[in-house]
């Protein structure tokens, strides 16, 4: 059955990110070590991050929580936009992959972004890179109330694309995220780099 839709992860597949830039930025703001900032955001802060990525809490609440954990006094407190930049300016863009997605969309395939992403980083990628202009539909964790790995997100992606499972290719850099899609019958590809992806596309006649 020919592929009619691409379901694409964002982070790493299209937009590699370096969270050390966030840790360094907040270490400078809070005048703490980079390791301390990393601990607050990743180790201690992971449950709160997952809530934020599911849309269970607002951007304002997430920012307030993290500023509190870094013990920022009022004079040190970043504005909402300063926090947004420090937290979100971590991406580069794989223009070779993005170019393939543009080519496939122009050929008639439906493009769906499926991402565990928060509101801040979604906004940053849209405003700074216009990254989502290539996609017909967005299935974002913070808008859907689910994080990958999730069969529900995959089902919603298929519904938005208007295709059967066997007519969709899902690309993600985390193997665990592919499992629910494969169980539904979606064709999957574990992304480890552009070369492997382009080989997979060729094998599928794309």
């Amino acid at each position: 059955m020919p592929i009619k839709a691409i379901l694409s992860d964002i982070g790493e597949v299209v937009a590699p990110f370096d969270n050390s830039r966030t840790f360094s930025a907040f270490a400078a703001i809070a005048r703490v070590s980079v390791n301390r900032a990393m601990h607050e955001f990743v180790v201690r802060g992971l449950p709160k991050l997952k809530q934020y990525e599911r849309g269970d809490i607002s951007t304002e609440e997430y920012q307030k929580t993290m500023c509190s954990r870094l013990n920022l006094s009022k004079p040190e407190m970043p504005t909402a936009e300063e926090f947004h930049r420090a937290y979100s300016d971590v991406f580069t863009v794989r223009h070779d992959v993005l170019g393939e997605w543009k080519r496939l969309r122009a050929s008639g395939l439906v493009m769906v972004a499926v991402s565990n992403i928060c509101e801040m980083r979604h906004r940053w990628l849209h405003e700074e890179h216009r990254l989502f202009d290539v996609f017909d539909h967005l299935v974002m964790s913070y808008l859907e109330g689910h994080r990958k790995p999730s069969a529900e997100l995959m089902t919603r992606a298929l519904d938005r694309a208007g295709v059967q499972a066997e007519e969709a290719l899902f690309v993600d850099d985390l193997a665990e995220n592919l499992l629910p899609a494969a169980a539904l019958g979606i064709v999957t590809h574990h992304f480890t780099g552009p070369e492997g992806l382009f080989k997979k596309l060729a094998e599928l006649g794309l």
Side-chain angles (χ1 to χ4, degrees):
M1 189 172 292
I3 297 297
K4 297 180 180 179
I6 302 291
L7 316 180
S8 174
D9 179 40
I10 298 301
E12 296 305 331
V13 173
V14 180
F17 57 92
D18 180 3
N19 280 329
S20 68
R21 294 172 64 175
T22 288
F23 309 144
S24 295
F26 281 98
I29 291 169
R31 300 177 185 177
V32 299
S33 70
V34 172
N35 282 342
R36 164 73 191 286
M38 180 175 66
H39 178 82
E40 294 301 335
F41 276 99
V42 177
V43 181
R44 188 178 174 213
L46 186 59
K48 187 63 69 173
L49 174 60
K50 288 184 176 181
Q51 284 185 299
Y52 183 39
E53 288 182 342
R54 283 195 306 268
D56 295 340
I57 60 174
S58 67
T59 293
E60 292 75 15
E61 183 177 345
Y62 183 71
Q63 291 178 344
K64 182 178 180 180
T65 297
M66 298 316 300
C67 285
S68 175
R69 289 185 175 177
L70 289 167
N71 295 320
L72 289 172
S73 63
K74 194 168 184 179
E76 298 170 324
M77 198 74 71
T79 65
E81 283 307 306
E82 288 169 342
F83 191 109
H84 172 52
R85 174 174 288 276
Y87 189 74
S88 303
D89 187 9
V90 299
F91 295 98
T92 55
V93 176
R94 292 191 194 274
H95 291 287
D96 49 358
V97 173
L98 197 61
E100 281 297 286
W101 287 172
K102 290 178 180 178
R103 178 185 68 82
L104 291 172
R105 187 187 191 199
S107 74
L109 271 69
V110 181
M111 305 301 299
V112 184
V114 186
S115 177
N116 287 345
I117 198 169
C118 65
E119 187 274 335
M120 277 190 290
R121 289 187 169 181
H122 180 189
R123 178 156 57 98
W124 180 268
L125 286 170
H126 173 66
E127 294 175 351
E128 298 296 323
H129 299 289
R130 305 302 301 180
L131 193 74
F132 297 100
D133 290 354
V134 71
F135 293 99
D136 299 290
H137 305 283
L138 307 180
V139 180
M140 308 280 97
S141 60
Y142 83 98
L143 295 173
E144 306 294 335
H146 296 272
R147 293 179 78 257
K148 295 179 294 184
S150 167
E152 178 61 27
L153 280 183
M154 293 299 103
T155 299
R156 293 183 189 187
L158 292 174
D159 288 344
R160 307 274 169 86
V163 300
Q164 300 298 311
E166 298 79 9
E167 299 173 320
L169 168 67
F170 176 45
V171 180
D172 200 291
D173 66 299
L174 296 179
E176 66 189 68
N177 289 343
L178 300 174
L179 298 177
L184 290 170
I186 297 171
V187 180
T188 62
H189 174 69
H190 182 202
F191 181 87
T192 57
E195 184 176 336
L197 172 61
F198 299 156
K199 181 180 179 181
K200 180 69 172 182
L201 294 176
E203 290 172 354
L204 292 170
L206 299 174

